[in-house]
Amino acid sequence: MTAPVAVTGVGLLTPAGQDADATWDAVCRGAGSAAAHDPELAGLPVDFSCRVPLSREALDRRVGRAAWRMSRNAVLAVLAAREAVRDAGLDPRTWNGDRVAVVVGHSLGAAGDVGAALTVLTVQHGTVPPVANLDAPAPGFDIDCVTDEPRRQDVRVAVSHSFDFGGHNVVLALAGSS
């Protein structure tokens, strides 16, 4: 039998929010994360984006001197990782470097990570957020869908499903601690 793994910290920096709490609040409100008329896309055929609304200067202030050597995506990853470590109550100064695993993906794979993180928050908060942009399920659709407002309920187990290019399908079953 394999050893169980516990999710001890969540870090999110998304177009919907600049940390896990802000992202969670936006998801529970059913808020979208796309910004219409993004000024950085002016003159292009598409002028909306799902970009984290932080300027390069703001990112540099939050990360420090080393930020100027990193790509924007790397700086966002550092900020999300710092939040997850803080949320877990961990102190990186006490880590044995040989025993710490770091997995960094790209934005396509991060979509699954966002879904998994929001599933963790669903279990932690005991709240099921509404399905974005769904007023009501189609007639005859027999799955209970939360619409309009978040639903408070005792969530003991939640499942997160992601799929990616190349046929990768990942399902995580996440359970709250007893």
Side-chain angles (χ1 to χ4, degrees):
M1 177 177 198
T2 59
V5 174
V7 175
T8 57
V10 175
L12 286 169
L13 193 71
T14 72
Q18 295 184 15
D19 60 22
D21 289 337
T23 299
W24 178 247
D25 290 343
V27 168
C28 285
R29 286 192 322 272
S33 58
H37 312 298
D38 185 333
E40 290 195 24
L41 301 176
L44 297 174
V46 174
D47 69 347
F48 70 92
S49 70
C50 291
R51 212 168 34 88
V52 174
L54 284 173
S55 69
R56 184 64 205 207
E57 294 76 26
L59 292 173
D60 291 350
R61 281 193 304 276
R62 288 177 69 179
V63 173
R65 278 184 6 191
W68 68 270
R69 293 178 284 178
M70 295 188 275
S71 71
R72 177 180 169 83
N73 287 340
V75 174
L76 295 173
V78 166
L79 291 171
R82 283 180 179 173
E83 182 185 15
V85 168
R86 265 192 322 272
D87 187 46
L90 301 173
D91 182 355
R93 295 171 298 188
T94 65
W95 292 351
N96 174 346
D98 294 335
R99 298 192 56 136
V100 175
V102 177
V103 179
V104 178
H106 54 78
S107 61
L108 293 174
D113 295 341
V114 169
L118 293 174
T119 305
V120 167
L121 293 172
T122 296
V123 175
Q124 286 180 339
H125 289 271
T127 302
V128 180
V131 177
N133 303 316
L134 180 66
D135 295 325
F141 189 75
D142 61 353
I143 295 176
D144 179 23
C145 295
V146 177
T147 59
D148 298 322
E149 296 290 323
R151 181 189 300 157
R152 298 268 313 146
Q153 67 185 57
D154 183 24
V155 180
R156 295 175 190 248
V157 176
V159 177
S160 173
H161 173 248
S162 286
F163 58 92
D164 199 351
F165 295 110
H168 298 97
N169 281 278
V170 178
V171 177
L172 299 175
L174 303 164
S177 61
S178 299

